[in-house]
Amino acid sequence: MSDKLQKVLANAGFGSRREMETWIEQGRVSVNGKLATLGDRVENEDKVRVDGNLISHEQESVICRVLMYNKPEGELCSRKDPEGRPTVFDRLPTIKNGRWIAVGRLDLNTSGLLLFTNDGELANRLMHPKHEVEREYAVRVFGEVEPDHVKRLQKGVKLEDGVAKFTSIRKLPTDEESLNSWYHVTLSEGRNREVRRMWESQGLQVSRLIRVRYGALELQKRLPQGGWIELMLPDVNALRSSVQLPDEKETLIKLDPGKLDHVKLSRMRRSVKKHRVNQANKSRTGNVTKEKAPAEKPRSPKPVAKKPTESTRSDSTNSSRKPSNKKRSDKRPAGKQQIRSRQGQ
């Protein structure tokens, strides 16, 4: 049975289907020696190459893995940044087959739950709007939120890329004198900066945004920012069943890691702190190399020694001679001369 080329590449762990479509358009993929085009379908016996490297696209027993990551603010959801800023892929564990695929994205100033998987089909279904996987966010809003604002946000507001709405809005108890209010909101899609733009459409500003749930998975409260854990088989299958995928039978986790106790949290925090220090040192050294080296000051020429003239030679020879005995006798103390004169008398 034939499958779409982008689906085959995604299942092999190269990336999401959208990324694979971009690769095909860029001419990076070939099938049986010919450049692939969008819409191509392949069989198991077809030879598929990515960047000239032959890949195995037969149905193998690839174990589905999922990571839960607590993204801090200031990290990009991209693999590399030309400016050298930290990314969410910097601290992920190495993987033998394929690569980690981020399930959705969070902007630079948003923190919270971010999922990674090596299963391209699972990532594609979790992100696709037709599956309506619910996301929940904790939002701190600056300004006075009126009941009409909440009604319009639940009914639907028009944005640049279409109509958007929250499926639910729940206010959290806050201080009455505070200018900020905390809300928990849910929606079933993940457009670029959608939550922020929806509140801004009502003249309100989001001062803090944290994703706390994706589908049936909630962010572990004790998981520190910058830390990750690999999900056990029941949590992986809960995600797969939510998007109509069969359950996974195997897992690479041999023992149940249990809850995050004090020892595990301490190790995780030390690892995150060490990584941040290394990133800071790396950025500093990068900035130093980019700066121009200060221009060296021109060295002053060494003074050339003048050849001594006859007058200087005579002066130097006279000064180097020892004083005569006559001069030495003149320098004798007067007391001894008086004693000798008395003896002579």
Side-chain angles (χ1 to χ4, degrees):
M1 182 179 178
S2 63
D3 290 319
K4 288 186 177 180
L5 180 57
Q6 57 266 33
K7 179 180 178 180
V8 171
L9 295 175
N11 291 341
F14 285 96
S16 64
R17 290 191 186 182
R18 290 184 179 180
E19 289 178 318
M20 297 304 99
E21 291 174 357
T22 304
W23 286 19
I24 296 172
E25 292 176 347
Q26 293 174 349
R28 298 177 58 182
V29 185
S30 65
V31 179
N32 298 327
K34 297 181 180 180
L35 285 179
T37 57
L38 288 177
D40 287 351
R41 305 181 71 90
V42 293
E43 304 282 351
N44 289 338
E45 59 272 12
D46 291 332
K47 294 183 179 180
V48 180
R49 286 180 169 84
V50 176
D51 295 332
N53 300 318
L54 183 65
I55 68 167
S56 176
H57 59 92
E58 296 180 358
Q59 297 297 327
E60 300 177 355
S61 57
V62 179
I63 299 176
C64 176
R65 301 173 63 185
V66 181
L67 300 181
M68 176 184 290
Y69 181 72
N70 190 356
K71 176 191 175 298
E73 296 179 2
E75 287 187 354
L76 295 174
C77 288
S78 57
R79 298 188 182 275
K80 292 183 181 180
D81 180 57
E83 300 181 11
R85 292 173 294 181
T87 73
V88 295
F89 291 91
D90 291 341
R91 292 193 61 254
L92 299 185
T94 56
I95 187 170
K96 292 182 179 179
N97 298 324
R99 61 177 184 170
W100 293 115
I101 305 168
V103 180
R105 299 171 67 91
L106 295 175
D107 60 45
L108 186 67
N109 297 322
T110 303
S111 60
L113 174 60
L114 188 61
L115 298 178
F116 294 90
T117 181
N118 64 334
D119 190 331
E121 181 64 20
L122 175 61
N124 179 72
R125 294 197 180 193
L126 287 173
M127 292 183 288
H128 204 284
K130 74 176 183 179
H131 292 284
E132 297 184 349
V133 179
E134 198 172 63
R135 291 91 155 161
E136 184 175 352
Y137 295 84
V139 190
R140 187 176 68 184
V141 182
F142 178 76
E144 184 177 356
V145 181
E146 299 178 357
D148 291 340
H149 295 153
V150 177
K151 291 180 181 179
R152 284 194 291 266
L153 290 172
Q154 286 186 296
K155 186 177 180 180
V157 294
K158 189 174 182 180
L159 303 177
E160 297 86 353
D161 51 357
V163 179
K165 66 178 181 178
F166 292 132
T167 55
S168 67
I169 302 177
R170 177 167 56 91
K171 184 178 181 180
L172 301 181
T174 54
D175 188 2
E176 295 181 357
E177 297 180 357
S178 177
L179 298 177
N180 296 296
S181 302
W182 278 97
Y183 288 85
H184 271 218
V185 299
T186 59
L187 68 166
S188 300
E189 56 184 2
R191 301 186 217 169
N192 183 31
R193 300 183 72 255
E194 186 173 8
V195 177
R196 295 180 185 273
R197 289 187 293 147
M198 290 175 67
W199 287 101
E200 290 171 358
S201 68
Q202 305 303 307
L204 302 169
Q205 183 180 0
V206 174
S207 57
R208 191 85 184 273
L209 184 59
I210 308 170
R211 185 155 68 190
V212 296
R213 181 170 61 87
Y214 200 106
L217 287 179
E218 293 184 358
L219 177 65
Q220 289 199 16
K221 295 181 179 180
R222 302 192 70 186
L223 183 64
Q225 288 192 344
W228 59 268
I229 56 172
E230 184 160 358
L231 300 183
M232 294 292 294
L233 196 56
D235 291 330
V236 173
N237 287 332
L239 276 179
R240 296 178 64 86
S241 62
S242 66
V243 289
Q244 294 79 48
L245 283 177
D247 288 350
E248 178 63 67
K249 304 298 182 183
E250 301 180 55
T251 178
L252 294 181
I253 303 177
K254 303 303 180 182
L255 298 175
D256 188 351
K259 296 182 180 181
L260 292 174
D261 55 15
H262 179 70
V263 177
K264 294 178 182 178
L265 288 174
S266 299
R267 292 176 181 174
M268 195 175 295
R269 289 192 181 100
R270 286 197 299 268
S271 177
V272 172
K273 184 177 180 180
K274 182 179 179 181
H275 173 71
R276 290 176 179 174
V277 171
N278 293 336
Q279 285 286 346
N281 294 335
K282 186 178 178 181
S283 62
R284 288 175 186 173
T285 55
N287 292 334
V288 170
T289 54
K290 289 179 181 179
E291 292 178 357
K292 293 183 179 180
E296 296 183 356
K297 295 182 179 180
R299 296 180 179 179
S300 57
K302 294 182 179 180
V304 180
K306 295 182 180 180
K307 294 183 179 180
T309 59
E310 293 181 358
S311 59
T312 55
R313 286 178 183 175
S314 60
D315 294 340
S316 61
T317 52
N318 293 335
S319 61
S320 62
R321 290 176 183 175
K322 295 181 179 180
S324 60
N325 295 332
K326 186 177 180 181
K327 292 182 179 179
R328 287 182 181 178
S329 61
D330 295 340
K331 293 182 178 179
R332 290 177 181 176
K336 291 184 179 181
Q337 291 178 356
Q338 294 178 355
I339 294 172
R340 289 181 179 178
S341 62
R342 290 175 183 176
Q343 291 177 353
Q345 293 176 357

